[in-house]
Structure formats: C-alpha cells, structure tokens
C-alpha cells in the first residue's frame, strides 16, 4: 500500500520509509512562523524552558510576521510588537517583517507565500490556525500553540500524530461565478465543522488545478474550519513557477502514491455547484446565495488571509466596476504587496483601487488581519454593534468580528461584492454578464 | 495529573470556539506577567452568548468577579475549542481555576495545547453529558479509572490513549526530556 502526500512528507521528516495513520512521530521542522499575538507568549515559554541566553535552533528557519494588531493605539498591542523587535534583534533573525515603512508585509499566511517560505515537500508550523494555507504548495503545514512553538524554537522538532487523509476531487471546468471560497464552503457544509477533525484534507481534480495559486491557498486556508489538521494540493507547473520565483532554497516535490489509502473520497462536479454563503454563526451553516435574497445587510468586508489577496480584489472589482455599493464596504489588503497590486492591476484601464474607490468602498491604509477577528476597539471595519455583515473572511462564530450582537455571513469576494451593491445577499450571477 | 478532580460543573453546548473562550480583543495581555495574565481569567468564556452560558438555563456568568470562577470542571458537547490556535484559550481556563474539561470531542489544536502546555486535563465523554449534568452540579472525576460521578450516577470516560504519557510527564518539555530529545 502506498503513501499519501501528507504521510510521505511526515515519514521523510522523521527519517522513516513509511508511516501509518495514528502513529506518533517526532518530525524535523523546516519553517516556524509566529506573529504579534502568539510570538510574545512563545518567546516567554522559550526563555523559561531554555534559559534567558538560549539561542533558537536555526535563525534562518524562523519567520516573524507581525500582522494582527498593527494599526491600533492599544498600548498592550504596541508593547507586544516591541517584544518581537527585541527578540529578533537579540537572535539576529533575518526573516523579521517588522511593522513600519521598510520591511512590513502584513498577514502572515499570504506573506509566507509571497516570500517563498511555502516550499513543496516541507514541514511548516505556525502559531496560527490558518497556517494550513501553506499546504496549497504541496507541503505539510499546520497551526500550533505557544508551547509547541517554543519547543521548536529550542530543538527544531515537534511530535505529530500521522493523520488519515480525506480526498476531495473537483471535476470539470471552473465556471466564472464560482471561487475557491464556494468550493470550500460547500465541503464544510457537507462534512460539518468537525468533519475532518484530526485528518488531512487533500484536494485534487481539474477544478483545483484550474484555480490560480492564490485561490488554491483559499481552499487550504479553511480546512481548519472543518477541523482539518492540514490541507494539501500536489504541486503542478503553476505551483513550481510561483515558488521558484520566490526562493533560492532547494526543495523536493512530494506526490502521493497511486495506491495510497484514503479515509474517504468525495467527488464534486463543478457544474453542479452554485455560489454559497455560510450563515451565522458557523462556517458549516451553508445556504445558496440566491436563497438568501431576503437578508438585508449593514456592511460588507473584503479582507484577511482568506479573502484579501490579489485574486480576491480582482474578483470583487469585476462586479464593482461601474457600480456603487449601497452598504458600508470595508476593504483590507492582506499584505503590502497586495496593496501595491491594487494600484498596478487594471480592468478596463482603471486600477483595482480606482474601481473600488469609485464604487464607494473604504480601503484601509495598512495591510493587516484587521476586523477578521474583531481586535481592539479601534480596529478598521470592526463590528461594534448589531450589524449584519457579509464577509470574505473565514469565521462567523458569535462575536468573531467584534460585537456578540453582530451577525456574519461568509461568502466569496464575487458574492460579497454583488451583495454590497444590492444591499442584500445576492448571487453574483445577477451581475456577471 | 491529579488522580481525583472535584469541583462544580459549568455546562456548555457543542462547538465552543476559541473566540468564545477568550475573545480576540483580550489577546494583547502578557501571559508571562504575573499580574497581567490574570486578565485572561477575568475574561475566560466571556464570549459565550448569554443564553448558552451555563446550561441548561444559560445566563450564568462563568466568572462573576475577580479572575477566578466558582466552576472548576467544564462539561461540554462536541468539538470543544474549535477555531484559532491561541494558547490563551486553555491558559484562560486554567487561570480562572479550571482543572478539567469533559467534552464529547475536541478540536485538535486546542486539545494539543491543553496537553503540551500542561494547562488542564481534557477528557472525552462517551455520551453527551452536557445534556445530563447541570451547571453548578458537584462532579468528581477519577482520572485513573476514567469515570465521572455526578450525584449517584457514574459515567465512563474514554481512555486518554497515547497523550496520557505527556499528561503524566506534566508538559511537552518534560515528555521531550523523557523521550531523550531534550537534556
């Protein structure tokens, strides 16, 4: 019996020829990422366990990307950035993307890809549950807590239980009204928010390989919303083109064996799928967008690691070009590179920024996680009352975007843009000629 | 891991996510600072909608005043701790005084964090105890025998499995030392 991609990567990183699901292994870590919310706690545990003068196991494998609470006056949040600065300086960490005009990147999961840290075949851990995004490049990537991250800082290893793999195959060409967000909300709606607990979710099929790289990231990004340990897509030429432009480090592509054993397999015909939303207050509370026309909105939000990438704004701009939003629409580019792309990418001769601004959207000055997770009270786009919001983000738990009184619908950037124009939840096919 | 854990139960439903356990706006406080970390106890479970806070009646604040809760055992449904990887979630429960959670199932990052950080004991029930136990009930957990007692009833808990070695060691660092990976 052969091995899945996930099993093979974990086996190689444990110095083994083969592994079985359920086995516990100590694996070598290629990259550890942390940010401003969990970095200070991680550093605290590291120093307590390994000593005030301890050195990290490999400073070139540590990536520190402040991104959560950057544009806030909150004094504790400012202090946390100082903790990261002091540690990066003390340890001589080269991959520290400090908040400020020079090095700042923005949302860690998108920044990791842009900077070439998401290499195929590697093991990447991060102190953020959406670290699973990086599996879109054919590596093993998952989120961990401060304690596990501190252990990695010290020894470069972590124990993992080898997960079983669930396989999801999307067949047929990708219709222009569907995005990766629709695909993953479809899956989460089918299997539930704990439907993939402890398991790997592997995506395959013509529909997946028709997706641009950033869209594949969206697919893997939300596996955690089904409880998945990691999401993974075997690399193709597009993956290798993307990553080779961004890293000089050698890497080895890992693919699954033809006779690998899966926990289960589900196949979808893309022509059968329609734009969907996840209703409050759970990502698996799926409904067809066209069946939610009576939901009136107070706000629309386009941003985050899930829905704030260039492809997301390109999609939103397709709808918003020449139209006007009727509800407050907040736009937050995930990274500084995405923010620059808003001024470079054009539709009908107009930049994405011009299209979004002409439509009446408010664009955040800085790239960050912003209101995806609520954040301090002065966070851009935060829901501070009983607003009904449609959002390209990843979670709609009670109070996730701020107030416990708010209600959040999750949808693709196409659906969010169409809904922002109509002021109620709208299937984007109403606007796509 | 204590052989016997006794306390008053605080009962919650399914899919209690980490934003409910500790809302994100509070994640700015230092976990290392002895004073500041107490805020996590103060705000533990403050994101749970009031109607679901302490079942079956709801409207029972988990922490009434200060930073500790009168409830030291959480009884919950499926997928407890889903969502973010924030270790502030098990830390907040521990700081508030929680010693054990008994849920039907866990989201894996939360589960792992509780064990590797040695914050509390995450046990799995074999039936939906969140529909049997009421908030405020005195409960007794026998971690060795894998049993939960409430009143005159006894319920079986699932074996801890491979992670028991980490819980017995104390945390992942002690476990790594035992495994010869750390001196």
């Amino acid at each position: 019996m052969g091995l899945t991609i996930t099993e093979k990567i974990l086996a190689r990183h444990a110095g083994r020829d083969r592994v079985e699901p359920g086995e516990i292994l100590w694996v070598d870590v290629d990259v550890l990422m942390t940010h401003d919310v969990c970095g200070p706690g991680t550093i605290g545990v590291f120093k307590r366990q390994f000593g005030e003068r301890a050195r990290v196991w490999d400073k070139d494998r540590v990536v520190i990307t402040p991104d959560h609470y950057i544009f806030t006056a909150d004094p504790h949040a400012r202090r946390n950035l100082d903790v990261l600065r002091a540690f990066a300086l003390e340890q001589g960490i080269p991959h520290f993307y400090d908040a400020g005009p020079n090095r700042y990147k923005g949302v860690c999961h998108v920044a990791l890809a842009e900077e070439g840290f998401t290499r195929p075949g590697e093991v990447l851990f991060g102190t953020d549950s959406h670290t699973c995004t990086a599996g879109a490049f054919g590596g093993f990537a998952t989120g961990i807590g401060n304690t596990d991250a501190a252990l990695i800082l010290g020894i470069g290893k972590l124990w993992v239980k080898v997960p079983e793999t669930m396989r999801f195959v999307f067949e047929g060409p990708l219709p222009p009204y569907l995005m990766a967000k629709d695909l993953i909300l479809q899956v989460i709606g089918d299997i539930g928010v704990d439907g993939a607990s402890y398991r790997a979710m592997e995506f395959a099929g013509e529909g997946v390989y028709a997706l641009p790289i950033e869209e594949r990231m969206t697919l893997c990004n939300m596996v955690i919303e089904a409880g998945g340990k990691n999401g993974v897509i075997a690399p193709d030429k597009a993956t290798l083109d993307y990553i080779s432009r961004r890293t000089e480090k050698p890497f080895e592509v890992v693919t699954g064996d033809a006779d690998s054993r899966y926990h289960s397999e589900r196949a979808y015909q893309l022509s059968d799928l329609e734009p969907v939303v996840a209703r409050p207050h759970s990502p698996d509370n799926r409904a067809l967008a066209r069946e939610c026309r009576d939901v009136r909105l107070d706000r629309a939000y386009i941003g985050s690691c899930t829905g704030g990438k260039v492809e997301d704004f390109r999609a939103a701009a397709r709808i918003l070009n020449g139209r006007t939003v009727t509800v407050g629409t907040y736009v937050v580019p995930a990274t500084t590179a995405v923010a620059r792309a808003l001024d470079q990418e054009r539709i009908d001769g107009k930049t994405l920024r011009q299209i979004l601004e002409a439509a009446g959207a408010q664009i955040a000055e800085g790239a960050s996680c912003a209101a995806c997770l609520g954040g301090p009270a002065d966070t851009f786009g935060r829901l501070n009352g009983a607003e009904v919001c449609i959002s390209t983000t990843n979670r709609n738990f009670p109070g996730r975007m701020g107030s416990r009184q708010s209600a959040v619908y999750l949808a693709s950037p196409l659906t969010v843009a169409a809904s922002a124009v109509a002021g109620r939840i709208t299937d984007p096919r109403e606007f796509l000629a | 891991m204590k052989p016997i854990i006794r306390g008053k139960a605080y009962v919650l439903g399914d899919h209690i996510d980490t934003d409910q356990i500790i809302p994100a706006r509070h994640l700015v406080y230092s976990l290392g600072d002895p004073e500041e970390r107490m805020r996590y106890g103060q705000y533990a479970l403050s994101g749970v909608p009031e109607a679901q806070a302490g079942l079956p009646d709801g409207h029972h604040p988990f922490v009434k005043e200060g930073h500790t809760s009168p409830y030291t055992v959480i009884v919950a449904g499926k997928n407890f701790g889903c969502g973010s990887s924030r270790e502030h979630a098990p830390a907040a429960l521990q700081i508030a005084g929680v010693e054990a959670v008994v849920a039907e199932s866990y989201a894996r990052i939360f589960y792992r964090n509780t064990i590797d950080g040695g914050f509390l004991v995450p046990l799995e029930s074999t039936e939906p105890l969140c529909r049997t136990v009421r908030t405020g009930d005195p409960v007794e957990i026998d971690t060795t025998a894998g049993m939960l007692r409430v009143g005159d009833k006894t319920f079986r808990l699932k074996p801890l499995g491979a992670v028991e070695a980490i819980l017995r060691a104390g945390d992942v660092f002690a476990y790594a030392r035992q495994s010869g990976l750390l001196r």
Side-chain angles (χ1 to χ4, degrees):
Chain A
M1 191 61 81
L3 300 182
T4 66
I5 305 176
T6 298
E7 290 159 4
K8 208 181 278 185
I9 294 171
L10 293 177
R12 287 186 182 183
H13 283 76
R16 298 265 300 270
D17 291 331
R18 56 176 306 111
V19 293
E20 296 285 335
E23 265 191 90
I24 288 183
L25 311 170
W26 285 92
V27 294
D28 292 324
V29 178
D30 293 304
V31 177
L32 173 71
M33 182 280 298
T34 191
H35 52 46
D36 56 305
V37 166
C38 296
T42 299
I43 293 163
V45 177
F46 172 70
K47 299 223 163 201
R48 250 191 335 275
Q49 291 289 337
F50 295 97
E52 277 299 322
R53 301 179 61 190
R55 308 298 296 177
V56 301
W57 103 102
D58 186 342
K59 62 185 168 65
D60 286 318
R61 295 183 183 278
V62 178
V63 183
I64 304 181
T65 47
D67 59 358
H68 277 60
Y69 303 155
I70 308 303
F71 303 99
T72 171
D74 186 288
H76 292 101
R78 314 297 311 163
R79 183 267 324 268
N80 289 344
L81 294 174
D82 289 336
V83 172
L84 298 182
R85 284 178 189 126
F87 187 72
L89 185 67
E90 164 199 306
Q91 300 283 332
I93 289 171
H95 309 303
F96 172 47
Y97 299 103
D98 195 4
N102 301 319
R103 300 259 304 154
Y104 183 60
K105 295 292 171 203
V107 180
C108 55
H109 311 297
V110 183
L112 281 174
E114 289 171 353
E115 296 301 310
F117 293 108
T118 54
R119 292 175 287 265
E122 293 199 350
V123 168
L124 184 156
F125 289 102
T127 59
D128 190 289
S129 60
H130 291 109
T131 303
C132 51
T133 310
F137 297 88
F140 174 85
T142 193
I144 54 172
N146 300 351
T147 298
D148 284 344
L151 180 64
I152 294 173
L153 278 181
I155 69 172
K157 289 177 191 290
L158 189 63
W159 70 269
V160 291
K161 191 169 167 182
V162 179
E164 292 181 290
T165 296
M166 299 172 84
R167 193 160 191 261
F168 300 87
V169 182
F170 291 94
E171 286 163 353
L174 185 74
Y177 49 84
L178 288 183
M179 297 188 70
K181 186 66 168 284
D182 296 297
L183 275 49
I184 192 66
L185 288 178
Q186 180 72 35
V187 168
I188 298 166
D190 285 347
I191 68 175
V193 285
D194 55 357
S197 284
Y198 295 90
R199 301 195 193 107
M201 294 172 74
E202 185 178 316
F203 300 100
E206 182 190 350
V208 168
Y209 290 104
L211 294 170
I213 290 297
E214 286 190 342
E215 281 277 274
R216 297 184 201 177
M217 290 166 66
T218 304
L219 203 53
C220 289
N221 172 276
M222 284 189 69
V223 303
I224 182 68
E225 268 58 72
K229 184 174 206 154
N230 64 304
V232 68
I233 299 171
D236 68 352
K237 184 172 178 303
T239 321
L240 301 179
D241 285 350
Y242 181 101
I243 207 72
S244 302
R245 285 203 305 274
R246 291 168 167 84
T247 186
E248 285 166 6
K249 278 204 167 188
F251 56 85
E252 203 176 330
V253 171
V254 174
T255 51
D257 296 325
D259 58 345
S260 359
R261 188 171 36 184
Y262 294 102
H263 164 274
S264 55
E265 190 161 343
R266 274 173 185 269
Y268 294 89
Q269 280 294 337
L270 287 174
S271 55
D272 294 342
L273 303 185
E274 297 187 64
V276 290
V277 300
R279 295 168 292 183
H281 296 283
S282 185
D284 64 357
N285 193 11
R286 187 189 65 214
L288 294 175
R290 63 179 169 81
E291 289 178 352
C292 296
R293 295 173 60 106
D294 56 343
V295 177
R296 294 219 155 264
L297 299 165
D298 301 306
R299 181 174 296 193
Y301 187 94
I302 309 176
S304 81
C305 54
T306 315
K309 304 180 289 313
V310 180
E311 290 295 340
D312 300 309
F313 294 115
R314 204 176 272 151
R318 272 169 65 200
I319 300 274
L320 295 178
N321 188 12
R323 296 193 177 91
T324 309
V325 299
T326 60
V327 295
T329 300
Y330 292 77
V331 165
V332 188
T335 62
T336 47
V338 174
R340 278 197 302 279
L342 293 185
D343 293 313
Q344 290 158 355
E345 298 275 329
R346 287 171 190 272
I347 296 175
D348 297 342
K350 292 173 280 187
T351 66
L352 299 182
R353 186 183 299 276
Q354 286 165 343
I355 292 169
L356 296 168
E357 284 180 345
Q362 297 182 56
I363 304 177
E365 278 183 36
S368 80
C369 300
C372 171
L373 74 165
D378 59 351
T379 301
F380 179 85
R382 187 179 194 275
L383 302 181
N384 290 321
E387 291 110 333
V388 179
C389 176
I390 189 162
S391 175
T392 65
T393 55
N394 42 59
R395 291 183 179 141
N396 57 350
F397 302 144
R400 165 73 178 182
M401 292 185 73
S403 169
R404 274 194 294 179
Q405 277 69 51
S406 64
V408 176
Y409 290 79
L410 305 176
S412 79
L414 283 175
T415 301
V416 169
S419 304
V421 171
R424 53 179 171 71
I425 292 181
T426 301
D427 187 314
R429 284 174 290 190
E430 289 189 28
F431 292 117
L432 290 168
Chain B
M1 190 165 55
K2 288 208 267 185
I4 303 285
I5 296 168
R6 291 189 188 91
K8 274 205 285 181
Y10 190 76
V11 183
L12 295 163
D14 293 336
H15 309 301
I16 298 297
D17 66 80
T18 52
D19 284 279
Q20 295 183 56
I21 297 173
I22 183 74
R25 68 181 176 281
H26 302 308
L27 302 181
V28 295
Y29 308 123
S30 167
L31 282 161
D33 182 278
E35 287 292 314
E36 209 174 304
R37 75 195 303 271
M38 293 306 164
R39 306 261 200 120
Y40 287 106
Q42 182 184 343
Y43 297 119
L45 289 171
S46 63
V48 178
E50 285 169 21
Q52 280 98 54
L55 296 175
D57 304 328
H59 305 280
H60 291 291
F62 176 65
V63 177
K64 294 189 178 78
E65 57 181 355
H67 59 261
T68 51
S69 171
Y71 309 102
T72 55
V73 173
I74 307 262
V75 174
K78 291 178 193 150
N79 201 28
F80 188 82
C82 59
S84 127
S85 65
R86 62 188 73 157
E87 197 163 292
H88 315 69
L93 296 178
Q94 183 200 41
I95 294 164
V98 173
E99 292 187 62
V101 178
V102 181
E104 272 182 87
S105 63
Y106 293 89
R108 52 162 292 279
I109 307 179
F110 176 89
Y111 185 72
R112 197 183 159 103
N113 285 347
T114 63
I115 292 166
D116 280 3
F119 292 104
L120 46 85
V121 183
L123 295 154
E124 286 184 313
S125 58
T126 51
E127 56 189 289
L129 290 182
C130 62
R131 280 179 234 143
T132 315
V133 181
R134 300 172 65 90
T135 293
D137 283 353
V139 296
E140 182 181 285
I141 298 166
D142 183 331
T143 59
T144 313
M147 305 292 261
L148 179 143
R149 279 183 278 278
V150 54
D152 55 1
K153 293 198 196 99
T154 301
F155 299 94
R156 201 163 48 82
L157 304 173
K158 289 186 189 164
L160 282 160
V163 298
E164 186 169 349
I166 307 173
L167 280 166
R168 295 219 173 274
D171 63 22
V172 74
F173 292 97
Y175 177 67
R177 274 182 208 103
Q178 287 177 3
S179 308
L181 291 157
L182 255 184
R183 286 198 300 167

